[in-house]
Amino acid sequence: MNVQEILTKASELQPQLQSIRRDLHQHPELGFDLTYTKEFVKNELLKMGYEPVSCGKAGLVVLVGGKKPGKTILLRADMDALALKEEADIDFRSQNEGKMHGCGHDMHAAMLLGAAKILKEYEDEIQGTVKLVFQPAEEIFQGANDMIQAGVLENPDVDAALMIHVMAGLPMPSGSVLVPSGGISMASCEQYHIHVKGKGGHGSAPHIAIDPITAAAHIHIALQEINSRELAGGEFGVFTTCHFEAGKTSNVIPDDADMWGTIRTIDPEGKIGGQIKERMTEITESVAKAYRCEAQVEFYDYCPCMVIDDALADATLTYMNELLGQGAVSMKSIGMDKPAGGSEDFAFVSHKVPTVSMFLAAGNADEGYIYSQHNPKVRFDDSVLFKGSAAYAYAALRWLGKSK
Ligand SMILES: [Zn+2]
Ligand SMILES: [Zn+2]
């Protein structure tokens, strides 16, 4: 195995990878409900001579290597889309109304299929085992955990794990691979639901009703004080209500009002995470009471911080330098080593085995890729797919070779 050989093999696959990605892009599916996607990926793997095994509610796993003794490295691609109506200016738009691959997980699945194809050609030489994992339900932070519960980290036991996420709209050359430093790289995320109970009535007679909308509006404003008045400067804790629902018509005071949002922090179990949740609960209940309502806060769907392993991150940066030269970028060197507010459910894996999570720039802002992930107009530069495949395959082969 040499690095040039891997890059050549990967670039020969590029047209195929692009058509796989565009097919998946036209057929986005959500959460664990990946009937088309899973079947598609499974068929591609079967064509390469793999025997895909289902794992958890909708995941797929294949192994390659294992003929020579050594460690096991896990490579992961997620496959799910977003509940978003696509407005991107492309001719292979989503055919599933209200669903869109707006985070690039179609790119990830195609890239890992490319890596599967390359790795199969080195099967006899691999010093250990590569476990390729196609994961559902990342966007709802449940897929990684579901696969862990189903045993994805065992049989064989996983010694290291690697994932790549594409990024659109970065101000850097498309195809660059960004490698993080060790430590926390992404925030935790936890959902909340605030339910405010009042007493409905006629819009003309608020004095004999109890208006939950007024109470909810005051709760919403009061909660902002936690960010502005109770967290110290530099403490990373963000929470945002993104969904507010109450009432159905203009002349009826409703019984209830509801708010949903997310909390992000790099200290979810500690002072900041604890303080935010405690104070959200106190403020919500007290403000509701002041306006004669009752309210509860419920926290759910927790995803921890992503923790990057120091040694694995350093080794990966070396491998990416060998593979891509200047195309390998240390996130520290460009000031991107501070934890980002975004979250990623592969974080569950990062708490179990040494993990590295890289980014692949897929669309330069100067070249018109101006929208970022989760925007209905986002476009991804899929001419970089082969670099993702090469990065997955090369990092795995190099790490196994070194760690035998
Ligand atoms: Zn996403
Ligand atoms: Zn994503």
Side-chain angles (χ1 to χ4, degrees), residues 148-204:
I148 292 172
Q149 300 308 320
V152 76
L153 299 180
E154 295 137 36
N155 197 20
D157 285 352
V158 171
D159 299 295
L162 181 150
M163 61 158 278
I164 303 176
H165 205 301
V166 292
M167 293 278 264
L170 283 185
M172 60 174 50
S174 201
S176 309
V177 168
L178 282 67
V179 185
S181 312
I184 292 177
S185 70
M186 279 189 257
S188 66
C189 182
E190 189 161 8
Q191 311 259 358
Y192 61 84
H193 172 206
I194 297 174
H195 177 69
V196 183
K197 181 119 196 87
K199 185 177 153 212
H202 200 288
S204 68

Side-chain angles (χ1 to χ4, degrees), residues 78-317:
D78 42 13
M79 310 184 278
D80 58 319
L82 288 166
L84 196 63
K85 184 173 166 17
E86 177 154 27
E87 294 170 24
D89 185 17
I90 51 174
D91 58 12
F92 51 94
R93 234 183 248 177
S94 166
Q95 293 176 1
N96 296 348
E97 182 69 19
K99 298 173 189 170
M100 176 192 182
H101 269 297
C103 202
H105 300 182
D106 51 339
M107 301 271 288
H108 303 164
M111 279 153 41
L112 195 58
L113 284 170
K117 180 103 180 143
I118 297 166
L119 289 167
K120 196 73 180 162
E121 295 185 31
Y122 292 98
E123 177 138 49
D124 296 337
E125 298 177 31
I126 297 175
Q127 290 169 312
T129 304
V130 187
K131 188 179 279 196
L132 298 119
V133 170
F134 295 86
Q135 184 208 299
E138 192 285 323
E139 294 290 357
I140 54 172
F141 297 144
Q142 293 178 19
N145 216 7
D146 178 67
M147 293 190 81
I148 292 172
Q149 300 308 320
V152 76
L153 299 180
E154 295 137 36
N155 197 20
D157 285 352
V158 171
D159 299 295
L162 181 150
M163 61 158 278
I164 303 176
H165 205 301
V166 292
M167 293 278 264
L170 283 185
M172 60 174 50
S174 201
S176 309
V177 168
L178 282 67
V179 185
S181 312
I184 292 177
S185 70
M186 279 189 257
S188 66
C189 182
E190 189 161 8
Q191 311 259 358
Y192 61 84
H193 172 206
I194 297 174
H195 177 69
V196 183
K197 181 119 196 87
K199 185 177 153 212
H202 200 288
S204 68
H207 58 293
I208 53 172
I210 300 174
D211 183 0
I213 297 180
T214 304
H218 280 278
I219 290 168
H220 177 67
I221 301 295
L223 290 176
Q224 309 312 309
E225 303 300 315
I226 300 176
N227 273 341
S228 74
R229 303 288 78 188
E230 297 189 16
L231 295 179
E235 280 185 334
F236 188 115
V238 177
F239 63 93
T240 308
T241 295
C242 297
H243 181 181
F244 195 125
E245 216 174 272
K248 291 229 159 34
T249 186
S250 62
N251 58 359
V252 177
I253 295 171
D255 279 325
D256 311 277
D258 292 277
M259 294 182 261
W260 291 265
T262 53
I263 304 170
R264 322 266 175 164
T265 166
I266 52 169
D267 177 29
E269 314 290 354
K271 182 183 166 286
I272 305 172
Q275 183 185 353
I276 290 176
K277 285 167 72 171
E278 194 183 311
R279 291 292 292 141
M280 279 183 82
T281 306
E282 284 173 4
I283 291 172
T284 299
E285 290 175 0
S286 317
V287 174
K289 204 170 165 201
Y291 292 91
R292 297 180 296 142
C293 289
E294 280 173 27
Q296 290 97 37
V297 193
E298 178 202 359
F299 301 98
Y300 61 102
D301 276 0
Y302 171 71
C303 171
C305 299
M306 172 76 85
V307 184
I308 302 298
D309 182 76
D310 255 323
L312 186 59
D314 285 352
T316 307
L317 182 60

Side-chain angles (χ1 to χ4, degrees), residues 1 70-71 125-128 319 394-404:
M1 184 269 289
K71 295 200 167 174
E125 298 177 31
I126 297 175
Q127 290 169 312
Y319 309 154
Y394 186 67
L397 292 169
R398 272 292 268 117
W399 187 82
L400 288 172
K402 182 206 73 154
S403 312
K404 59 181 185 295

